[in-house]
Amino acid sequence: MPAKIPANAEHEKWMRRALELARRGEALTSPNPMVGAVLVRNGRVVGEGFHTYDGLRHAEIVALDAAGAAAKGSTLYINLEPCCHTGRTGPCTRALIAAKVARVVAAMPDPNPLVAGQGFRELRRAGIEVISGVLEDEAQRLNEAFATWVTARCPFVTLKSAMTLDGQLVLPPEPASRGKKKIRWITSEASRAEVQRMRHASDALLTGIGTILADDPLLTDRTGLPRRRPLLRVILDSRLRLSPRSQLARSAKGDVLVFTCESASSKRARALQSAGIEIVQCNPAKTAGNRRRGVKPRSQQPDLNQVLAELARRDILSVLLEAGATLNDAALAAGVVDKLRLFYAPVYAGKASATEPSVPIPAAVNTVSGIRIERFGPDFAIEAYLQRP
């Protein structure tokens, strides 16, 4: 007979399954959290499920419906504390109590102030055993964007950049036919595929007009995976230089948002609006400080705090910042970046392609945590947090 699995290993085994299920809701749950649930009785799964926003039902309810009468006396493994309030659905705690579930093993409390431990208390009062903290770090990473948005009403911002070993963001272009320069990729196909996965997991992609003028990119999610909302393409364009003939304008279907300091009713603005682009007029950066760090931005770009506040109002939980040195430095100086994801390729660019010196980063930004290193083909990526939810 196989050796009996210790209780803590058993909990981790089923929690990993709950997290696996939760990830199936990627790009399908926002502005809700990703949640997976597994009901186990006598060492066997009797019901499981995950949440999607359009599916309405929470993961616990999907699992309970699958289990039926077998839910009685079972253990629920779930990556987030069950809710105890009425929103688009009723409280999951009451459904678990009614089903006579014996135990709830959760990875983390719900950061939503409407729950925040109250779900656990309600379950305990009903005589259900509650265990929390199993694979908590993995669960927190999974829903870090939701935690930031629901507590600070601000999107979670990840700064992604691809660089050479000597810290350059671009390589000298290769000569090409008909006088056109050919763009050289810094990183490998494996890294670029991971960036597409990051886009898929994000609600919005943010860049500056400099990147648009230099590369004329589409900035789309090219994974081909289903998503509930199209990736919102957000451009900071203080002087409204975006061309109505750009790829962004020609592909806009209500999914391109431009923040500018110019009049939103100018001739250029009207042309872009006719192309399906939304124009939002906002203050230049120097007019406002950062509400999270108390640091004033240094550039004349649209105020990043105002931009992020508007995105939060639109239920944008996660923002992927893919920009050049100017906007990257402005975001770091403003203190709005939560996480760095830096892809390094085994390439040395040399001084010939050196970019302009970066804006000095405030000392408060120099402290990082949660550092992880991953390999993608010949490249490696460093992930680090500047501020945690």
Side-chain angles (χ1 to χ4, degrees):
M1 294 181 63
K4 185 177 180 181
I5 302 175
N8 60 344
E10 184 80 2
H11 290 339
E12 289 188 6
K13 169 189 172 181
W14 296 118
M15 189 60 72
R16 291 193 190 283
R17 176 57 180 167
L19 287 163
E20 178 186 341
L21 288 167
R23 291 187 188 97
R24 293 187 186 179
E26 190 172 71
L28 299 173
T29 61
S30 182
N32 285 354
M34 290 178 278
V35 183
V38 183
L39 282 167
V40 178
R41 184 176 177 183
N42 298 326
R44 184 176 64 88
V45 175
V46 295
E48 63 180 23
F50 63 95
H51 173 63
T52 62
Y53 188 88
D54 290 339
L56 198 64
R57 294 184 302 165
H58 287 186
E60 303 95 310
I61 305 304
V62 176
L64 287 172
D65 289 348
K72 183 178 180 180
S74 67
T75 295
L76 171 71
Y77 291 90
I78 188 164
N79 61 294
L80 191 69
E81 174 186 6
C83 69
C84 56
H85 67 288
T86 299
R88 298 171 70 230
T89 66
C92 290
T93 48
R94 294 183 189 176
L96 294 168
I97 293 167
K100 294 182 169 42
V101 168
R103 180 189 297 115
V104 170
V105 179
M108 61 177 284
D110 190 336
N112 187 343
L114 295 175
V115 185
Q118 297 180 66
F120 288 154
R121 287 192 289 272
E122 186 172 327
L123 293 171
R124 288 189 176 106
R125 283 197 299 267
I128 295 176
E129 181 186 0
V130 175
I131 298 172
S132 180
V134 178
L135 301 183
E136 185 169 10
D137 184 63
E138 291 182 35
Q140 288 177 343
R141 285 178 179 269
L142 182 67
N143 280 310
E144 58 196 10
F146 171 76
T148 297
W149 179 78
V150 81
T151 56
R153 286 295 162 181
C154 189
F156 184 89
V157 179
T158 299
L159 188 159
K160 166 263 163 186
S161 193
M163 292 184 286
T164 63
L165 289 179
D166 54 338
Q168 303 307 314
L169 302 179
V170 295
L171 292 172
E174 294 178 344
S177 60
R178 298 180 183 178
K180 292 184 178 180
K181 294 179 178 180
K182 183 179 178 182
I183 296 175
R184 296 173 62 189
W185 294 105
I186 292 178
T187 51
S188 65
E189 288 186 12
S191 291
R192 298 199 297 274
E194 174 63 11
V195 171
Q196 288 298 319
R197 189 208 64 77
M198 292 173 68
R199 287 185 181 184
H200 179 70
S202 302
D203 291 336
L205 190 155
L206 173 64
T207 195
I209 187 60
T211 296
I212 305 302
L213 296 177
D215 301 333
D216 191 24
L218 276 169
L219 303 178
T220 51
D221 170 6
R222 295 191 288 277
T223 61
L225 298 172
R227 55 184 308 136
R228 191 178 79 83
R229 301 183 291 184
L231 177 67
L232 183 65
R233 297 174 285 173
V234 183
I235 316 301
L236 301 192
D237 185 3
S238 60
R239 290 181 286 155
L240 208 55
R241 292 182 287 162
L242 179 64
S243 170
R245 295 184 296 276
S246 65
Q247 288 201 89
L248 274 174
R250 287 187 281 115
S251 64
K253 297 179 180 177
D255 58 349
V256 178
L257 182 61
V258 174
F259 286 90
T260 183
C261 302
E262 298 291 319
S263 171
S265 60
S266 67
K267 182 178 179 180
R268 173 63 65 89
R270 291 195 300 271
L272 292 171
Q273 289 163 344
S274 296
I277 293 177
E278 184 178 356
I279 309 294
V280 177
Q281 186 176 358
C282 65
N283 299 324
K286 68 175 184 178
T287 62
N290 172 42
R291 62 193 173 90
R292 282 201 277 177
R293 283 188 179 271
V295 180
K296 289 197 174 183
R298 306 181 180 192
S299 74
Q300 293 300 309
Q301 296 168 335
D303 176 46
L304 283 165
N305 295 287
Q306 188 175 349
V307 168
L308 293 175
E310 175 60 22
L311 294 179
R313 189 187 68 79
R314 296 170 183 243
D315 290 346
I316 297 297
L317 274 60
S318 53
V319 172
L320 181 61
L321 176 59
E322 290 192 49
T326 300
L327 181 52
N328 284 347
D329 286 341
L332 289 167
V336 300
V337 176
D338 296 285
K339 184 165 72 174
L340 300 173
R341 195 94 189 276
L342 308 178
F343 291 79
Y344 286 90
V347 177
Y348 184 79
K351 294 181 180 180
S353 65
T355 57
E356 61 187 55
S358 296
V359 175
I361 298 173
V365 177
N366 291 334
T367 302
V368 299
S369 63
I371 296 175
R372 295 200 305 177
I373 300 176
E374 297 177 85
R375 288 291 301 268
F376 295 98
D379 311 328
F380 66 94
I382 297 176
E383 178 183 279
Y385 288 87
L386 300 184
Q387 46 195 350
R388 298 298 289 265

